[in-house]
Amino acid sequence: MPATPAYPPHSAPRLYLDRELSEGAEIRLEGSHAHYLIKVMRIKQGDPVKLFDDRTGEYLARVSALGKRDLMLAIDGKTREREAVPDLWLCTAPIKKDRFNWIAEKATELGVAKIIPVQTERTQGSAIKPDKLRAHMIEAAEQCERTALPALDPLMKLTDLLEQWPANRHLFFADERIHATGEGSFRKALVAHDGPAAILIGPEGGFSDAENEMIRALPQAVAVSLGPRILRADTAALAAISLWMAGRGDWNPD
Ligand code: SAH
C-alpha cells in the first residue's frame, strides 16, 4: 500500500479568490483562473487546488468537474486561518514602473501589511497602475503562501502622508545622509521602538532638504542608516523591510 501522500502536495496550484470561502462550498471558475488551471497547470479531475480569500483563511479544494473553459472546485476543508500580518507599512516613492512592480512583489513576499506609494519632489516614476501593481502582489502572495494580501493605498503626497500620520506608528525614515554622523543605527532603533511601524524610502534622487526636515519634524520619525553605500531605492526598501522583519516581525521563532 503506498504511503498516503502528505496533502496538499507542494505542487498543488494555489489561487487567491476575491470572495469569502467556506468548507464544503462548490466554486465555479472561468476566465483567467480557469485558463491557468486547465491550460497552464493541465489540471485533471480530482486534482487538489489550494485557495485563499484574504478574509477567512486557506482551503484545500479538488476539481469536481472539468470543462474546456471552466471548472468546478469542491472545497474539502480549511488548511489555515488567515495569518496575523506583521504590522509594517512600506511608504515609498514610486520609481520606474518595472522596478516599482518589483518592490511591490518583494514587499509582499517579505510580509508587509500595506504599501503606500508616496509622491515626493523628485519622484520620477510614471503614474502608478494600481491594477497591475495589485496583480503582482496577488501573484507574489499566491507563490509565497500568504493567506492575507498586503493593502495597496492610492498615491499620496508626502505632505499629506505626514499630516495624517497615525500617532502610534513609528516611521523609520531611511536617510542616506546620516551614516557619516554615526547616528541612525537601525539595530538600536528597532530595540528602542516596538509596535506598529512603517518604513519610508525616497525616490532615485533622494528627498530634498525641505522634505528631509519635514520628515524629521514628525515626532514618530526615526532616521535610520542602511550603511555607508548609497543603495538604489528598491535595494533600500528590501534591506529595511528585512531588517525590521528579523528584528520586530515574524521571521524569528521566538
Ligand atoms: N540622493 C541619493 C540617492 C537616493 S537613494 C544620492 O545621493 O544619489 C533612494 C533612497 O534610498 C533614499 O532616499 C533613501 O531613502 C534610501 N537609501 C539609499 N541608500 C541609503 C543608505 N545608505 N542609508 C539610508 N537610506 C538609504
Side-chain angles (χ1 to χ4, degrees):
M1 223 359 214
T4 312
Y7 273 99
H10 283 291
S11 57
R14 188 167 185 277
L15 291 179
Y16 163 67
L17 297 184
D18 187 6
R19 70 179 91 175
E20 180 151 334
L21 300 174
S22 58
E23 300 195 356
E26 286 264 11
I27 310 264
R28 178 171 179 273
L29 293 186
E30 51 186 350
S32 59
H33 280 139
H35 178 268
Y36 169 70
L37 291 174
I38 297 168
K39 301 287 184 213
V40 177
M41 298 304 286
R42 302 217 167 283
I43 204 140
K44 297 289 170 273
Q45 181 92 8
D47 281 357
V49 177
K50 283 198 277 188
L51 305 171
F52 69 101
D53 60 6
D54 187 27
R55 296 162 176 81
T56 60
E58 180 192 78
Y59 300 80
L60 179 63
R62 286 181 185 293
V63 178
S64 53
L66 197 53
K68 285 216 178 320
R69 289 189 182 72
D70 68 350
L71 70 153
M72 292 300 289
L73 293 178
I75 293 187
D76 289 343
K78 181 182 269 190
T79 48
R80 283 190 294 159
E81 294 300 322
R82 182 181 187 276
E83 75 221 39
V85 182
D87 195 358
L88 176 68
W89 297 354
L90 171 63
C91 307
T92 180
I95 55 176
K96 291 184 190 62
K97 209 174 29 270
D98 57 342
R99 280 184 173 274
F100 199 68
N101 289 339
W102 186 85
I103 287 184
E105 179 183 271
K106 297 310 153 200
T108 301
E109 292 173 64
L110 295 171
V112 303
K114 179 188 281 201
I115 297 179
I116 307 178
V118 182
Q119 179 76 37
T120 66
E121 281 173 40
R122 299 177 187 163
T123 297
Q124 296 157 4
S126 52
I128 299 278
K129 290 195 171 34
D131 297 353
K132 278 240 177 292
L133 214 42
R134 193 161 153 73
H136 279 277
M137 293 164 68
I138 288 171
E139 209 170 306
E142 290 172 337
Q143 174 273 325
C144 73
E145 305 206 342
R146 285 183 69 140
T147 56
L149 295 179
L152 173 63
D153 275 14
L155 183 66
M156 205 175 194
K157 285 203 192 78
L158 179 63
T159 44
D160 295 341
L161 181 82
L162 298 177
E163 259 160 43
Q164 300 160 34
W165 194 259
N168 72 331
R169 188 172 294 271
H170 301 297
L171 177 58
F172 294 105
F173 153 49
D175 182 350
E176 74 277 5
R177 312 179 197 188
I178 199 174
H179 190 75
T181 66
E183 292 165 63
S185 157
F186 209 154
R187 184 178 46 76
K188 286 188 189 141
L190 288 172
V191 169
H193 304 293
D194 191 2
I199 287 163
L200 177 58
I201 304 283
E204 292 92 335
F207 291 109
S208 66
D209 293 347
E211 287 174 333
N212 194 291
E213 263 167 60
M214 193 168 45
I215 299 163
R216 285 169 174 281
L218 191 77
Q220 298 87 340
V222 182
V224 290
S225 168
L226 295 172
R229 288 165 291 279
I230 300 290
L231 310 178
R232 280 182 178 277
D234 40 2
T235 314
L238 199 74
I241 296 169
S242 302
L243 285 167
W244 188 92
M245 281 295 165
R248 287 286 180 193
D250 62 358
W251 285 11
N252 296 324
D254 58 12

